[in-house]
Each structure stands twice: as C-alpha cells, then as structure tokens.
Short mmCIF file of all heavy atoms in Angstrom, two decimals:
data_model
loop_
_atom_site.label_atom_id
_atom_site.label_comp_id
_atom_site.label_asym_id
_atom_site.label_seq_id
_atom_site.Cartn_x
_atom_site.Cartn_y
_atom_site.Cartn_z
N LEU A 1186 -65.63 -2.22 5.29
CA LEU A 1186 -66.34 -2.18 6.56
C LEU A 1186 -65.39 -2.16 7.75
O LEU A 1186 -65.83 -2.18 8.90
CB LEU A 1186 -67.30 -3.37 6.68
CG LEU A 1186 -68.44 -3.39 5.65
CD1 LEU A 1186 -69.23 -4.67 5.76
CD2 LEU A 1186 -69.35 -2.19 5.84
N GLY A 1187 -64.11 -2.14 7.50
CA GLY A 1187 -63.15 -2.10 8.61
C GLY A 1187 -61.96 -2.97 8.30
O GLY A 1187 -61.88 -3.61 7.26
N VAL A 1188 -61.03 -3.02 9.24
CA VAL A 1188 -59.79 -3.77 9.03
C VAL A 1188 -60.08 -5.24 8.79
O VAL A 1188 -59.51 -5.88 7.91
CB VAL A 1188 -58.85 -3.59 10.23
CG1 VAL A 1188 -57.62 -4.46 10.07
CG2 VAL A 1188 -58.45 -2.13 10.37
N GLU A 1189 -61.01 -5.82 9.58
CA GLU A 1189 -61.31 -7.24 9.44
C GLU A 1189 -62.56 -7.50 8.62
O GLU A 1189 -62.76 -8.59 8.11
CB GLU A 1189 -61.48 -7.88 10.82
CG GLU A 1189 -60.24 -7.85 11.69
CD GLU A 1189 -60.49 -8.43 13.06
OE1 GLU A 1189 -61.66 -8.63 13.42
OE2 GLU A 1189 -59.50 -8.71 13.77
N GLY A 1190 -63.43 -6.52 8.53
CA GLY A 1190 -64.68 -6.72 7.81
C GLY A 1190 -65.75 -7.40 8.62
O GLY A 1190 -66.83 -7.69 8.10
N ASN A 1191 -65.47 -7.69 9.90
CA ASN A 1191 -66.47 -8.27 10.80
C ASN A 1191 -66.92 -7.18 11.75
O ASN A 1191 -66.10 -6.56 12.42
CB ASN A 1191 -65.88 -9.44 11.58
CG ASN A 1191 -65.44 -10.57 10.67
OD1 ASN A 1191 -66.20 -11.10 9.89
ND2 ASN A 1191 -64.16 -10.93 10.76
N PHE A 1192 -68.24 -6.96 11.83
CA PHE A 1192 -68.70 -5.81 12.60
C PHE A 1192 -70.12 -6.02 13.09
O PHE A 1192 -70.93 -6.65 12.42
CB PHE A 1192 -68.64 -4.55 11.74
CG PHE A 1192 -68.71 -3.26 12.53
CD1 PHE A 1192 -67.59 -2.80 13.20
CD2 PHE A 1192 -69.88 -2.53 12.59
CE1 PHE A 1192 -67.63 -1.62 13.93
CE2 PHE A 1192 -69.94 -1.35 13.31
CZ PHE A 1192 -68.81 -0.89 13.98
N SER A 1193 -70.39 -5.50 14.29
CA SER A 1193 -71.74 -5.47 14.83
C SER A 1193 -72.12 -4.03 15.12
O SER A 1193 -71.34 -3.30 15.74
CB SER A 1193 -71.82 -6.30 16.12
OG SER A 1193 -73.06 -6.08 16.78
N TRP A 1194 -73.29 -3.65 14.68
CA TRP A 1194 -73.78 -2.30 14.95
C TRP A 1194 -74.58 -2.24 16.26
O TRP A 1194 -75.00 -1.18 16.67
CB TRP A 1194 -74.64 -1.80 13.79
CG TRP A 1194 -73.85 -1.34 12.61
CD1 TRP A 1194 -73.52 -0.05 12.29
CD2 TRP A 1194 -73.25 -2.14 11.58
NE1 TRP A 1194 -72.76 -0.01 11.14
CE2 TRP A 1194 -72.59 -1.27 10.68
CE3 TRP A 1194 -73.21 -3.52 11.33
CZ2 TRP A 1194 -71.90 -1.74 9.55
CZ3 TRP A 1194 -72.53 -3.98 10.22
CH2 TRP A 1194 -71.88 -3.10 9.34
N GLY A 1195 -74.81 -3.38 16.91
CA GLY A 1195 -75.51 -3.42 18.18
C GLY A 1195 -77.02 -3.47 18.06
O GLY A 1195 -77.71 -3.76 19.04
N ASP A 1196 -77.53 -3.20 16.86
CA ASP A 1196 -78.99 -3.17 16.66
C ASP A 1196 -79.50 -4.43 15.96
O ASP A 1196 -80.63 -4.46 15.47
CB ASP A 1196 -79.38 -1.93 15.84
CG ASP A 1196 -78.77 -1.94 14.44
OD1 ASP A 1196 -77.96 -2.84 14.13
OD2 ASP A 1196 -79.11 -1.03 13.65
N GLY A 1197 -78.66 -5.46 15.92
CA GLY A 1197 -78.99 -6.69 15.23
C GLY A 1197 -78.28 -6.83 13.90
O GLY A 1197 -78.19 -7.93 13.35
N THR A 1198 -77.76 -5.72 13.38
CA THR A 1198 -77.05 -5.76 12.11
C THR A 1198 -75.62 -6.22 12.32
O THR A 1198 -74.91 -5.67 13.16
CB THR A 1198 -77.03 -4.37 11.45
OG1 THR A 1198 -78.37 -3.87 11.36
CG2 THR A 1198 -76.42 -4.42 10.07
N VAL A 1199 -75.21 -7.25 11.58
CA VAL A 1199 -73.84 -7.74 11.67
C VAL A 1199 -73.32 -8.02 10.27
O VAL A 1199 -74.07 -8.42 9.38
CB VAL A 1199 -73.72 -9.02 12.54
CG1 VAL A 1199 -74.15 -8.76 13.96
CG2 VAL A 1199 -74.52 -10.17 11.95
N ALA A 1200 -72.03 -7.77 10.06
CA ALA A 1200 -71.37 -8.08 8.81
C ALA A 1200 -70.27 -9.08 9.08
O ALA A 1200 -69.51 -8.94 10.04
CB ALA A 1200 -70.80 -6.82 8.17
N ILE A 1201 -70.20 -10.10 8.24
CA ILE A 1201 -69.22 -11.17 8.40
C ILE A 1201 -68.39 -11.29 7.14
O ILE A 1201 -68.92 -11.48 6.04
CB ILE A 1201 -69.93 -12.53 8.65
CG1 ILE A 1201 -70.93 -12.44 9.80
CG2 ILE A 1201 -68.89 -13.63 8.88
CD1 ILE A 1201 -70.36 -12.03 11.12
N ASN A 1202 -67.08 -11.18 7.27
CA ASN A 1202 -66.14 -11.39 6.17
C ASN A 1202 -65.68 -12.85 6.23
O ASN A 1202 -64.89 -13.21 7.11
CB ASN A 1202 -64.96 -10.44 6.32
CG ASN A 1202 -63.83 -10.72 5.34
OD1 ASN A 1202 -64.00 -11.44 4.36
ND2 ASN A 1202 -62.67 -10.14 5.61
N TYR A 1203 -66.16 -13.67 5.29
CA TYR A 1203 -65.74 -15.08 5.31
C TYR A 1203 -64.46 -15.33 4.52
O TYR A 1203 -63.95 -16.44 4.45
CB TYR A 1203 -66.86 -16.01 4.84
CG TYR A 1203 -67.33 -15.81 3.42
CD1 TYR A 1203 -66.55 -16.22 2.33
CD2 TYR A 1203 -68.57 -15.25 3.15
CE1 TYR A 1203 -66.99 -16.07 1.03
CE2 TYR A 1203 -69.03 -15.09 1.84
CZ TYR A 1203 -68.23 -15.50 0.79
OH TYR A 1203 -68.66 -15.34 -0.51
N GLY A 1204 -63.92 -14.25 3.91
CA GLY A 1204 -62.57 -14.36 3.37
C GLY A 1204 -62.50 -14.64 1.89
O GLY A 1204 -63.37 -14.27 1.10
N ASN A 1205 -61.45 -15.32 1.52
CA ASN A 1205 -61.11 -15.60 0.13
C ASN A 1205 -60.78 -17.08 -0.01
O ASN A 1205 -60.67 -17.79 1.01
CB ASN A 1205 -59.92 -14.73 -0.27
CG ASN A 1205 -58.72 -14.97 0.63
OD1 ASN A 1205 -58.05 -16.00 0.54
ND2 ASN A 1205 -58.44 -14.03 1.53
N PRO A 1206 -60.64 -17.59 -1.22
CA PRO A 1206 -60.45 -19.03 -1.38
C PRO A 1206 -59.33 -19.65 -0.55
O PRO A 1206 -59.51 -20.71 0.05
CB PRO A 1206 -60.18 -19.18 -2.88
CG PRO A 1206 -61.01 -18.07 -3.48
CD PRO A 1206 -60.84 -16.92 -2.52
N ASP A 1207 -58.17 -19.00 -0.46
CA ASP A 1207 -57.07 -19.56 0.32
C ASP A 1207 -57.42 -19.57 1.81
O ASP A 1207 -57.14 -20.53 2.53
CB ASP A 1207 -55.78 -18.77 0.09
CG ASP A 1207 -55.19 -19.01 -1.29
OD1 ASP A 1207 -55.59 -19.99 -1.95
OD2 ASP A 1207 -54.33 -18.21 -1.71
N TRP A 1208 -57.99 -18.48 2.31
CA TRP A 1208 -58.38 -18.40 3.71
C TRP A 1208 -59.46 -19.43 4.03
O TRP A 1208 -59.42 -20.09 5.07
CB TRP A 1208 -58.88 -16.98 4.02
CG TRP A 1208 -59.36 -16.79 5.42
CD1 TRP A 1208 -60.66 -16.80 5.85
CD2 TRP A 1208 -58.56 -16.59 6.59
NE1 TRP A 1208 -60.73 -16.60 7.22
CE2 TRP A 1208 -59.45 -16.47 7.68
CE3 TRP A 1208 -57.20 -16.48 6.81
CZ2 TRP A 1208 -59.01 -16.25 8.99
CZ3 TRP A 1208 -56.75 -16.26 8.11
CH2 TRP A 1208 -57.64 -16.15 9.18
N ILE A 1209 -60.41 -19.58 3.13
CA ILE A 1209 -61.50 -20.55 3.32
C ILE A 1209 -60.93 -21.96 3.43
O ILE A 1209 -61.30 -22.73 4.32
CB ILE A 1209 -62.51 -20.44 2.17
CG1 ILE A 1209 -63.27 -19.10 2.27
CG2 ILE A 1209 -63.49 -21.61 2.18
CD1 ILE A 1209 -64.02 -18.74 1.00
N ALA A 1210 -60.02 -22.29 2.54
CA ALA A 1210 -59.43 -23.64 2.54
C ALA A 1210 -58.63 -23.90 3.81
O ALA A 1210 -58.59 -25.03 4.31
CB ALA A 1210 -58.55 -23.81 1.31
N ALA A 1211 -58.00 -22.86 4.34
CA ALA A 1211 -57.14 -23.04 5.52
C ALA A 1211 -57.92 -23.01 6.83
O ALA A 1211 -57.37 -23.35 7.88
CB ALA A 1211 -56.08 -21.94 5.54
N ASN A 1212 -59.21 -22.64 6.79
CA ASN A 1212 -59.96 -22.45 8.02
C ASN A 1212 -61.27 -23.23 8.05
O ASN A 1212 -62.23 -22.81 8.71
CB ASN A 1212 -60.23 -20.96 8.25
CG ASN A 1212 -58.98 -20.21 8.64
OD1 ASN A 1212 -58.60 -20.15 9.81
ND2 ASN A 1212 -58.29 -19.63 7.65
N GLY A 1213 -61.29 -24.35 7.36
CA GLY A 1213 -62.41 -25.28 7.52
C GLY A 1213 -63.64 -25.00 6.70
O GLY A 1213 -64.69 -25.63 6.93
N GLY A 1214 -63.58 -24.06 5.76
CA GLY A 1214 -64.72 -23.81 4.89
C GLY A 1214 -65.56 -22.63 5.34
O GLY A 1214 -65.45 -22.14 6.47
N VAL A 1215 -66.41 -22.18 4.44
CA VAL A 1215 -67.22 -20.99 4.69
C VAL A 1215 -68.16 -21.17 5.87
O VAL A 1215 -68.32 -20.27 6.71
CB VAL A 1215 -68.03 -20.61 3.43
CG1 VAL A 1215 -68.99 -19.46 3.72
CG2 VAL A 1215 -67.10 -20.23 2.28
N LEU A 1216 -68.78 -22.34 5.99
CA LEU A 1216 -69.74 -22.55 7.07
C LEU A 1216 -69.06 -22.43 8.43
O LEU A 1216 -69.61 -21.81 9.36
CB LEU A 1216 -70.41 -23.92 6.93
CG LEU A 1216 -71.54 -24.21 7.93
CD1 LEU A 1216 -72.66 -23.20 7.78
CD2 LEU A 1216 -72.06 -25.63 7.75
N SER A 1217 -67.88 -23.00 8.57
CA SER A 1217 -67.15 -22.92 9.83
C SER A 1217 -66.75 -21.48 10.15
O SER A 1217 -66.94 -21.01 11.28
CB SER A 1217 -65.90 -23.81 9.77
OG SER A 1217 -65.13 -23.67 10.95
N ILE A 1218 -66.22 -20.77 9.17
CA ILE A 1218 -65.79 -19.39 9.38
C ILE A 1218 -66.99 -18.51 9.71
O ILE A 1218 -66.97 -17.72 10.67
CB ILE A 1218 -65.08 -18.86 8.12
CG1 ILE A 1218 -63.80 -19.64 7.85
CG2 ILE A 1218 -64.78 -17.36 8.26
CD1 ILE A 1218 -63.21 -19.40 6.48
N ALA A 1219 -68.06 -18.66 8.95
CA ALA A 1219 -69.25 -17.83 9.15
C ALA A 1219 -69.89 -18.11 10.51
O ALA A 1219 -70.36 -17.18 11.18
CB ALA A 1219 -70.26 -18.09 8.03
#
C-alpha cells in the first residue's frame, strides 16, 4: 500500500500498518501504534 503502509483515500477509507513484533515491542504495543 506504499512505503509506510499508512494511507488515507479521503473517502473514509484508511489503512494502518501496525508493524511487526520488534516494532510493536519498541513502540508501546499495537493499540498505541494503531
């Protein structure tokens, strides 16, 4: 979906890349990232 995987189409559709286990652990968990 792109370099970061986070995207808004402007019509209400959004995609969120919450990452991988190492990224999740380093950034406070999935709920915080999302």
